[in-house]
Amino acid sequence: MGNAKTPVLWTTGAPGAGKSTTAWGLYTRAVEAGGNVAYVDIDQLGLIGPPPGGGEASHAIKAANLLRVLEILRHRGTRQIVVSGVVDPENGVEREFEGRDFDLTLVRLTCDRDELRSRFLGRGSPATALADLLAVADAYDRTGFGEELDTTGQRPEETVEALFRRCVVEDGPVLPPQGVEPWPGPVTVVTGPTAVGKSTAAWTVLREFWEQGEPVAYVDLAQLGFVSPGPDPALEAANLAALWHGYREAGARRLLVVTREFLPEHGQVFDEVDVVHLDADDTTLTERVRRRAEGESALLAGDELRGAPPGVRDRVTARAIAEAARTRRSGGGRVVLDTSGQEPAETAAALRAALRQ
């Protein structure tokens, strides 16, 4: 690749415009075509609160963390990076890329207001947020940054098709990330099998920290590993270290990490870490997979369960049960919480108590 700039295709727009769906479609198309490619959801790079960690400062925090992650991906040899998420409606993001080794294509997805409303409500967003949505859409239209792509009347796959020709689909060697310096904590890692409820519980506890005015950051480790070829735990660790660096600079005093499995590579990021493992019996895991498939949790990139047919549910259930059994056999220095038969609020309360200890 030499000194060529790494192409970054960023889809942005108002909530409901289709930026995440489009970006994920571009990423998966490039993976299927054999590309050395990565996907980054910028919303995952600004999970720090309370304000000013969130609020008006959040665009700056996300942009700084994005550039850290992009540099790691560039060093890896990634040929195409796809990004999705909102940008600062007043300032855009192009200035952040000036003088850097990235070739940015910023695409602003738009659609008519009626369709924007129906898309927004159709994904489960509250009607009370419509006024804010339209204000963001108006601000984006007013500043007019990026290349506008009108998606009115388009199916998501048509939008992906329109943009895929802008992507670079090349394979190429993968270089290991540079070594990670251990960072101080306090850091709590919440682990557990697929669908056990770790994200829901950790997110509930996180919001409570924020309400109490405690500056805490949150990382869903699965969201830092969308690369092909992959998976790559060493890359996840490098991205995790970069984010914790950024969050500490932004004032975070504590970190919550959620991951199915906390691997040795991940452990090198921190000089000290507490692991809380959520367990559940087979019946509970089966029920929670069903609930996830029926849409009972936040929709994240790479979610294999939302709307999944029975065959997929059965495979994921079997995997979750196997994961739980394997972890029980492995022992290890962690706090184990049995969440069998619990409602989400009960699991969150148990996690909160474990963190206090």
Side-chain angles (χ1 to χ4, degrees):
M1 193 164 60
N3 292 318
K5 292 192 171 190
T6 304
V8 176
L9 196 160
W10 185 334
T11 55
T12 189
K19 51 193 176 294
S20 300
T21 304
T22 301
W24 182 253
L26 293 169
Y27 168 69
T28 53
R29 278 278 298 272
V31 169
E32 289 160 5
N36 183 337
V37 61
Y39 167 67
V40 183
D41 175 358
I42 197 167
D43 289 341
Q44 298 296 321
L45 309 185
L47 297 174
I48 173 176
E56 293 306 307
S58 67
H59 288 300
I61 294 168
K62 288 176 185 176
N65 277 339
L66 176 66
L67 288 168
R68 291 183 175 99
V69 169
L70 293 185
E71 289 292 352
I72 291 167
L73 290 169
R74 175 175 165 75
H75 181 270
R76 185 183 197 256
T78 305
R79 296 289 203 257
Q80 173 72 61
I81 303 170
V82 181
V83 177
S84 69
V86 296
V87 301
D88 185 334
E90 299 305 322
N91 301 308
V93 77
E94 291 98 330
R95 283 189 314 195
E96 311 282 350
F97 283 80
E98 287 173 4
R100 295 185 176 267
D101 290 322
F102 301 102
D103 181 12
L104 174 68
T105 301
L106 183 65
V107 179
R108 181 168 46 90
L109 302 181
T110 63
C111 64
D112 71 35
R113 292 295 192 263
D114 287 343
E115 188 162 331
L116 186 63
R117 279 191 197 91
S118 64
R119 288 183 191 178
F120 183 72
L121 297 174
R123 68 181 198 177
S125 300
T128 51
L130 274 173
D132 290 341
L133 161 73
L134 296 175
V136 171
D138 289 343
Y140 279 13
D141 287 349
R142 188 175 66 249
T143 48
F145 50 76
E147 300 177 24
E148 182 181 0
L149 178 61
D150 186 349
T151 66
T152 304
Q154 278 188 354
R155 298 192 310 276
E157 53 269 27
E158 292 175 311
T159 309
V160 170
E161 186 64 40
L163 287 174
F164 188 60
R165 59 188 171 79
R166 310 285 296 275
C167 291
V168 174
V169 182
E170 295 176 356
D171 61 7
V174 170
L175 302 174
Q178 291 158 332
V180 171
E181 286 290 316
W183 288 92
V187 176
T188 303
V189 179
V190 183
T191 64
T194 303
V196 74
K198 52 195 175 292
S199 298
T200 303
W203 188 255
T204 301
V205 171
L206 176 76
R207 298 303 292 259
E208 290 172 1
F209 276 129
W210 291 356
E211 286 162 11
Q212 292 156 12
E214 290 195 48
V216 182
Y218 176 93
V219 172
D220 180 341
L221 201 47
Q223 297 291 310
L224 300 186
F226 294 127
V227 292
S228 183
D232 186 346
L235 174 79
E236 293 166 6
N239 284 337
L240 179 60
L243 275 195
W244 185 216
H245 177 128
Y247 285 144
R248 284 171 60 83
E249 272 194 358
R253 293 290 169 265
R254 183 183 199 125
L255 179 64
L256 268 179
V257 179
V258 170
T259 180
R260 222 159 45 193
E261 201 173 4
F262 193 60
L263 299 170
E265 292 91 338
H266 304 147
Q268 293 170 9
V269 174
F270 309 112
D271 56 15
E272 192 176 345
V273 65
D274 294 314
V275 179
V276 179
H277 180 76
L278 305 189
D279 194 9
D281 60 27
D282 297 0
T283 304
T284 299
L285 286 173
T286 303
E287 171 66 10
R288 289 180 185 166
V289 167
R290 183 191 65 77
R291 287 186 184 183
R292 271 272 299 280
E294 291 173 0
E296 209 180 84
S297 61
L299 180 59
L300 294 173
D303 189 332
E304 62 194 333
L305 273 174
R306 178 70 66 98
V312 173
R313 293 187 199 185
D314 293 346
R315 281 201 301 278
V316 174
T317 300
R319 189 183 76 212
I321 289 169
E323 287 167 356
R326 188 170 65 244
T327 306
R328 282 180 213 122
R329 289 193 300 271
S330 69
R334 57 179 172 251
V335 176
V336 177
L337 303 179
D338 184 356
T339 70
S340 300
Q342 289 182 348
E343 288 300 313
E346 296 174 278
T347 301
L351 176 59
R352 188 184 315 112
L355 290 179
R356 285 208 186 99
Q357 290 170 11

